[in-house]
Amino acid sequence: MKLLRATCFLWLLTLATTSQAQTPAKGFVYTDTNGNKKKDKKEKGIEGVAVSNGVEVVLTDKNGAYELPIGNDNIIFVVKPSGYKLPLNSKNQPIFYHIHKPVGTPANFKFKGSAPTGPLPGSIDFAVIPTIQEDKFSALVFGDPQPYTLEEIDYFSRGIVKEVEGIKGISFGLSLGDLVGDNLDLHNPYIDAVQKVGIPWYNVIGNHDMNYDAVTDSLSDETYEANFGPANYSFNEGNVHFIVLDDIIYPDPRDGKGYWGGFREDQLRFLENDLKLVDTSKLIVFSMHIPLKMYNDAFRPEDRNRLFQLLQRFPHTLSLSAHTHLQRNDLYGKSDGWLRNTPHHEYNAGTTSGDWYSGQLDENGIPYSTMRDGTPKGYAFLHFNGNQYVIDYKVASKPASFQIEIFAPKVIPFKKKTSAGIYANFFMGREDSKVEYKIDNAKWKKMEFAENFDPNFLGILHKFDHSETLIPGKRPSNPEASSHLWRTAIPNNLALGEHTIEVRATDMFGRVFTQKGGFKVAALEK
């Protein structure tokens, strides 16, 4: 470890001694009319497009030209304007950046980063392609694919990607970090998997995508940058401005070990410079990996407060995160440091890996991988209309209408009280959601919010723990209290025979979902 730190120090020293004043980065943002990804003489530049070096953000002039200061560790990128699309490489990755690292990544890193990039090109040009931009559009969101092995890449490919392969009517996809699980050589197999969806795909860095060899946070994303481009960037679609930030500080400054949720000063300066150029009528969608909610001191409070200050001007905002392998919809108010009267919504998305590819195997040999709050693995669709949005969670291998899972005993005793209850796990719910039930044709009644373990998930654990033979698949993690579970007692005046339970729930967007279940009332045999 001492040798590693010494080597990194020498690399940083080399970087510092070569960081003398350089010729600035220059170039054009232009309309690529013939699609060859090169600026031809007849192709015109576009005025007023933002370009960044990762900190400063400038707008192109009337000829589409820009100029930015540059150091020896920069990624220059264009902020895609609405009404345009970006060219794609063969893997459906948007082409919007240029890596400038004359010294390259430290040679002693376990996983390969950027090779020395050589002299700065005379002109760094960015192609954009005009398109019909609708105010209404949709995006596809993956939380934590996180495969640790090629076998788990296969689970991800067959269990998630295959279901959305060739999907139509979706503008782009976005993965919210932990693209892989520590083995950064799996980045390319992950890229090969998601490119089959057939749409442009953006990514967020996660704590399992980092270079743990790094001795300073600014170097912890070297392999990610080589494979995906900048870890901090933004783009526009419709009337929405998307911002992606690396919110993992590594090593943790408190003890030099592990990581902490938060931002470096240069990242916050990029965010400030970026937002200065954004109209306040836009919806700001902020995408990261670690959620802003400070459970167990997981996020540095001063950084969250700084973020909230920068977002204060904007009446329409949304945060997206993953990391927890749970699903939550959190609202931040003034007691949390949010500075507007209308709360800020953070969607902490359920994951495509679920509970880390655990649980029994389905008929195709893919783990069910229900998350420990009872949310089945899946993915989300974000539907935008101007600066408004709606989120749909889609459970993998289930119909889109499957938004609630009901638990009830299979049989209860006739005319006797029971301590058992009826539970409803409303996957996109939160404590203030309206959840009701009825038995048979009775009137609708309110269910009570129950921050507790999901009984269906407990049943999965019991199968593993009570089995006298090994069950194919990996035992799931231990349960965690669900933030979207409701309960009601079972009446003791029901007739003998089969009974139907129906649950209906209203989400935070005002939409109503229903699900049916059932149980039997029986008398003890004498």
Side-chain angles (χ1 to χ4, degrees):
M1 179 59 73
K2 288 182 179 179
L3 178 60
L4 177 63
R5 289 183 180 274
T7 305
C8 283
F9 174 77
L10 289 172
W11 184 92
L12 289 167
L13 185 62
T14 301
L15 185 67
T17 55
T18 56
S19 293
Q20 306 301 321
Q22 292 190 353
T23 302
K26 298 179 181 180
F28 294 87
V29 178
Y30 67 96
T31 301
D32 190 15
T33 53
N34 60 11
N36 67 354
K37 303 171 189 173
K38 294 179 181 179
K39 188 179 185 304
D40 300 314
K41 288 184 179 180
K42 293 183 180 181
E43 291 178 329
K44 294 182 179 181
I46 306 170
E47 183 179 3
V49 178
V51 185
S52 179
N53 61 8
V55 178
E56 288 85 2
V57 184
V58 298
L59 294 176
T60 54
D61 66 16
K62 63 181 181 180
N63 298 313
Y66 72 90
E67 182 175 312
L68 281 162
I70 201 75
N72 277 311
D73 186 7
N74 286 99
I75 300 182
I76 305 97
F77 60 90
V78 64
V79 178
K80 185 190 82 66
S82 293
Y84 293 86
K85 61 183 179 180
L86 293 167
L88 306 176
N89 66 16
S90 62
K91 304 294 186 180
N92 285 324
Q93 294 175 298
I95 301 171
F96 68 102
Y97 62 89
H98 174 84
I99 296 175
H100 178 65
K101 295 177 184 280
V103 182
T105 294
N108 61 323
F109 274 21
K110 178 179 179 180
F111 296 105
K112 184 179 178 181
S114 298
T117 55
L120 190 70
S123 186
I124 301 171
D125 302 328
F126 295 107
V128 293
I129 304 161
T131 186
I132 297 172
Q133 181 62 67
E134 302 287 350
D135 270 354
K136 289 185 178 181
F137 67 96
S138 298
L140 174 58
V141 174
F142 286 175
D144 294 50
Q146 205 171 340
Y148 285 84
T149 63
L150 286 173
E151 180 182 41
E152 290 181 349
I153 286 275
D154 178 63
Y155 292 153
F156 171 63
S157 282
R158 294 190 296 121
I160 299 293
V161 172
K162 188 175 181 181
E163 190 167 298
V164 292
E165 192 171 325
I167 195 167
K168 303 298 182 185
I170 304 297
S171 295
F172 63 87
L174 173 69
S175 291
L176 294 171
D178 283 358
L179 314 176
V180 300
D182 297 331
N183 179 2
L184 306 190
D185 286 339
L186 293 175
H187 273 163
N188 283 320
Y190 157 81
I191 291 168
D192 289 340
V194 295
Q195 68 97 12
K196 294 177 184 175
V197 181
I199 57 178
W201 205 273
Y202 296 95
N203 294 282
V204 176
I205 189 172
N207 55 289
H208 290 284
D209 298 306
M210 299 189 305
N211 294 95
Y212 293 123
D213 310 299
V215 297
T216 182
D217 184 52
S218 62
L219 295 177
S220 65
D221 56 4
E222 288 291 306
T223 300
Y224 175 92
E225 288 183 337
N227 292 327
F228 301 100
N232 308 287
Y233 61 98
S234 60
F235 61 96
N236 296 283
E237 193 82 15
N239 201 33
V240 186
H241 184 67
F242 294 88
I243 303 170
V244 172
L245 281 191
D246 168 8
D247 72 339
I248 308 137
I249 303 170
Y250 176 84
D252 186 334
R254 295 172 295 186
D255 59 9
K257 303 174 184 177
Y259 58 87
W260 196 10
F263 310 109
R264 299 188 308 270
E265 179 59 29
D266 61 289
Q267 295 175 287
L268 289 165
R269 291 202 335 260
F270 161 66
L271 181 60
E272 182 177 10
N273 291 331
D274 177 82
L275 288 174
K276 283 178 182 177
L277 304 175
V278 180
D279 191 281
T280 56
S281 68
K282 284 184 176 287
L283 168 65
I284 307 299
V285 176
F286 182 74
S287 302
M288 63 210 150
H289 180 62
I290 296 177
L292 297 169
K293 205 75 174 176
M294 293 184 293
Y295 302 110
N296 301 318
D297 197 27
F299 204 96
R300 189 158 63 182
E302 55 265 37
D303 294 348
R304 188 178 81 163
N305 291 339
R306 179 82 175 274
L307 172 66
F308 285 174
Q309 289 167 8
L310 293 172
L311 292 175
Q312 184 181 5
R313 290 193 306 122
F314 297 90
H316 309 289
T317 60
L318 167 68
S319 289
L320 305 174
S321 61
H323 183 60
T324 63
H325 295 256
L326 306 168
Q327 182 154 266
R328 296 185 64 95
N329 283 285
D330 286 314
L331 297 181
Y332 298 84
K334 294 197 173 178
S335 63
D336 305 301
W338 182 245
L339 301 172
R340 297 189 66 90
N341 292 326
T342 303
H344 175 68
H345 176 206
E346 179 177 24
Y347 173 49
N348 185 225
T351 61
T352 55
S353 58
D355 183 62
W356 294 277
Y357 301 104
S358 66
Q360 289 181 269
L361 306 181
D362 66 14
E363 64 275 11
N364 297 310
I366 301 168
Y368 284 108
S369 201
T370 300
M371 286 170 263
R372 60 196 189 282
D373 66 348
T375 306
K377 73 179 180 190
Y379 47 90
F381 291 100
L382 274 61
H383 305 292
F384 299 97
N385 184 1
N387 57 21
Q388 303 299 304
Y389 66 91
V390 169
I391 303 174
D392 284 322
Y393 185 68
K394 171 67 173 65
V395 174
S397 77
K398 292 285 189 179
S401 59
F402 182 58
Q403 298 292 315
I404 307 165
E405 187 160 33
I406 296 172
F407 173 87
K410 294 184 183 303
V411 60
I412 64 167
F414 179 57
K415 289 187 176 180
K416 290 188 177 182
K417 291 184 178 181
T418 175
S419 58
I422 297 169
Y423 290 82
N425 194 329
F426 178 32
F427 310 132
M428 278 295 289
R430 43 171 288 111
E431 186 173 353
D432 58 1
S433 297
K434 182 180 180 181
V435 179
E436 301 168 293
Y437 80 101
K438 67 177 181 178
I439 296 176
D440 302 327
N441 295 315
K443 292 181 179 180
W444 289 102
K445 295 181 180 179
K446 181 182 177 183
M447 297 187 79
E448 297 298 323
F449 177 73
E451 192 167 359
N452 208 332
F453 299 147
D454 177 85
N456 282 308
F457 184 78
L458 292 176
I460 297 169
L461 287 179
H462 292 159
K463 282 184 181 179
F464 276 85
D465 292 345
H466 295 168
S467 176
E468 295 184 359
T469 59
L470 288 176
I471 297 174
K474 180 172 65 176
R475 182 191 186 272
S477 305
N478 290 326
E480 184 148 334
S482 176
S483 65
H484 38 79
L485 186 68
W486 283 260
R487 182 190 187 279
T488 192
I490 301 174
N492 64 350
N493 59 350
L494 297 173
L496 290 166
E498 302 287 342
H499 294 271
T500 299
I501 307 164
E502 188 171 3
V503 173
R504 71 180 180 191
T506 305
D507 72 4
M508 62 189 302
F509 309 107
R511 301 174 304 170
V512 178
F513 301 92
T514 61
Q515 189 69 35
K516 288 186 177 181
F519 60 90
K520 182 170 70 173
V521 174
L524 285 171
E525 295 182 5
K526 295 181 181 180

